Amino acid sequence: MKMISKEYAKQLKKEIAKADELPNFIDEENIFNILEKAKKADKQEVKDILDKARDIDNKGLSQYETAVLLQNKDKALDEEIFALAKEVKQRIYGNRMVLFAPLYISNVCKNVCAYCAFAKTNKELVRKTLTDEEIKAEVSVIEGMGHKRVLVVYGEYDYSPEWLAHTIDEVYATKTNPSGEVRRVNINCAPLNVEGFRTLKNANIGTYQCFQETYHTETYNKMHISGNKTNYKWRLYALHRAQEAGLDDVATGALFGLFDYKFEVLGLLAHAEELEDKFGVGPHTISFPRIEPALGSEMSYQPPYQMSDYEFKKIIAILRLAVPYTGLILSTRENTEFRRELLELGISQISAASRTYPGGYVDMKANVPQEQQFSIGDERPLDEVICDLATTLDYIPSFCTGCYRLGRTGDHFMGLAKSNFIKKCCTPNAMCTFSEYLNDYASEKTKKVGMELIRKEFEKMDEGDMKVKVKEALSRISNKGERDIYF
Ligand code: SAM
Ligand code: SF4
């Protein structure tokens, strides 16, 4: 059944209205006070906070400490923040970079968000919901590039959770030669109720992702003009409901440009602290899209709180220090040159070769204003992105899905992450999935560069069991054609 039943719609309406009774754990007054107090911090205090952040056995930074770094105006100290973020990122994540492709399944939406091209009132947008056949065709193209991880995206419409789950089944079921398969489907869809999230859990999704957009209620109310999304708390508690349904990898984010970026960063931290408090685990990842020009949205061309590149760099570096074990995601909204710079500061996952409209991979045009959600800054094909990562940054592109498939999710993952596991296990998994890519999908140029990088990375490994296992796995991949080996 594609659409929700009348009973379900009624139930949902009731639950959304009831969300208003929940407490707002984003204490706005407190955030403003922290930001004011942090302005008074001197240089020494900034340095002390950096010393604390350097010790990655600490759990990151408090809201106040984060605010001090955000308020710092001394450029030399900012440089120290950038340098430390790079160091922390390298120590925790090593030189691997996880890659994924977004897959827009629908651009039909019942809401009106002031910044989005999918808003119901946008009459210029060509609306489309992919059929099963179209989903398979899109996935085939994505797999043909070499991707193994997909983020499915939908507008907010009356789609039933069962239909959402069905579309996920279609993605998993699509296999192509030589080794094309999607091994992890993450999802960005409108907040559901607990029952709906359970249906998604049963469809084997990886992460449920929902951005709060802005944590500032007044701005939230201004930007969300009609539809279910107008209810701030229904959205604020979406990740709680997902957790209650057993989805322990949840992801949040803020859309930068709607309100003061410093406030939003503290909002993200407050959200993370609340989840940690209630469920023992914070968000698996945080995203921080900047508003991009979107058809039909005047404000998207001139956002009220446009953030400069420098400020954007700063929030990435500061988030890396504040939540060292939380993945940070960067999308193709940012352009190529700038993306390179940001990766080093703390990004652990990027989308690549993205299309932001339903049918965009079969169609293959990067920018189609009449159908897409926002314009793409980095239009390069996956092979080019990978070659660039491997040559200019010495990064090992990773398509790894090992943790989620071995049940290392939620607090289990966080516990492991904090024990230097990411480097010990994720790097071997990155090497194996990269080797698969090089054998099956890479251009000759990328293959040459990539094989050399894997060799260098292998040599860097400590002698021991894992090194022996990786040697054997790499040989099985290249010489025996085995695939999907993970630790
Ligand atoms: N409809 C669902 C929702 O709103 O949560 C999921 C899909 S929505 C297309 C995914 C995200 O796109 C939103 O959460 C928002 O942050 C982002 N977005 C919307 N308009 C944008 C724009 N003009 N530039 C950049 N990101 C945008
Ligand atoms: Fe619809 Fe989501 Fe776009 Fe809002 S952001 S208009 S809910 S697709």
Side-chain angles (χ1 to χ4, degrees), residues 424-438:
K424 276 195 219 135
C425 229
C426 298
T427 307
N429 282 337
M431 288 157 77
C432 288
T433 54
F434 187 33
S435 173
E436 283 185 7
Y437 172 83
L438 294 173

Side-chain angles (χ1 to χ4, degrees), residues 323-390:
V323 282
Y325 297 99
T326 303
L328 298 182
I329 301 186
L330 188 70
S331 73
T332 35
R333 291 168 178 93
E334 305 303 331
N335 72 42
T336 315
E337 278 302 308
F338 191 44
R339 280 220 310 177
R340 275 195 206 119
E341 218 182 317
L342 302 174
L343 298 188
E344 289 190 283
L345 288 174
I347 302 298
S348 55
Q349 285 190 32
I350 55 169
S351 53
S354 305
R355 299 291 178 268
T356 61
Y357 61 100
Y361 292 99
V362 169
D363 197 30
M364 259 321 172
K365 288 193 281 299
N367 281 312
V368 182
Q370 311 86 309
E371 289 173 56
Q372 73 189 8
Q373 195 199 0
F374 50 78
S375 47
I376 304 272
D378 181 351
E379 297 180 23
R380 295 171 301 165
L382 182 63
D383 192 67
E384 232 179 90
V385 173
I386 286 185
C387 195
D388 183 39
L389 285 174

Side-chain angles (χ1 to χ4, degrees), residues 284-476:
H284 187 64
T285 56
I286 293 180
S287 302
F288 23 80
R290 286 198 286 188
I291 296 181
E292 286 294 323
L295 182 77
S297 159
E298 230 170 85
M299 74 82 72
S300 70
Y301 289 84
Q302 255 183 335
Y305 285 82
Q306 195 138 30
M307 188 169 53
S308 70
D309 283 359
Y310 188 80
E311 289 164 337
F312 193 51
K313 256 173 71 173
K314 217 173 142 172
I315 64 157
I316 292 173
I318 292 173
L319 278 171
R320 183 69 298 143
L321 301 179
V323 282
Y325 297 99
T326 303
L328 298 182
I329 301 186
L330 188 70
S331 73
T332 35
R333 291 168 178 93
E334 305 303 331
N335 72 42
T336 315
E337 278 302 308
F338 191 44
R339 280 220 310 177
R340 275 195 206 119
E341 218 182 317
L342 302 174
L343 298 188
E344 289 190 283
L345 288 174
I347 302 298
S348 55
Q349 285 190 32
I350 55 169
S351 53
S354 305
R355 299 291 178 268
T356 61
Y357 61 100
Y361 292 99
V362 169
D363 197 30
M364 259 321 172
K365 288 193 281 299
N367 281 312
V368 182
Q370 311 86 309
E371 289 173 56
Q372 73 189 8
Q373 195 199 0
F374 50 78
S375 47
I376 304 272
D378 181 351
E379 297 180 23
R380 295 171 301 165
L382 182 63
D383 192 67
E384 232 179 90
V385 173
I386 286 185
C387 195
D388 183 39
L389 285 174
T391 38
T392 57
L393 293 167
D394 266 357
Y395 276 170
I396 307 231
S398 174
F399 299 95
C400 175
T401 52
C403 279
Y404 136 85
R405 289 159 78 208
L406 290 169
R408 293 190 298 248
T409 57
D411 58 349
H412 188 186
F413 171 79
M414 282 296 168
L416 288 166
K418 288 173 190 173
S419 63
N420 201 22
F421 158 87
I422 296 189
K423 252 190 151 169
K424 276 195 219 135
C425 229
C426 298
T427 307
N429 282 337
M431 288 157 77
C432 288
T433 54
F434 187 33
S435 173
E436 283 185 7
Y437 172 83
L438 294 173
N439 276 288
D440 292 343
Y441 297 100
S443 63
E444 277 311 308
K445 182 180 167 204
T446 306
K447 189 165 178 177
K448 203 165 154 225
V449 173
M451 286 298 183
E452 176 57 17
L453 186 60
I454 291 178
R455 193 191 60 74
K456 277 199 291 193
E457 196 63 30
F458 179 77
E459 270 167 22
K460 275 196 268 166
M461 285 180 78
D462 294 336
E463 295 303 325
D465 262 13
M466 190 48 114
K467 192 164 182 174
V468 175
K469 281 189 200 162
V470 171
K471 186 174 182 184
E472 195 206 13
L474 290 173
S475 159
R476 278 161 59 199

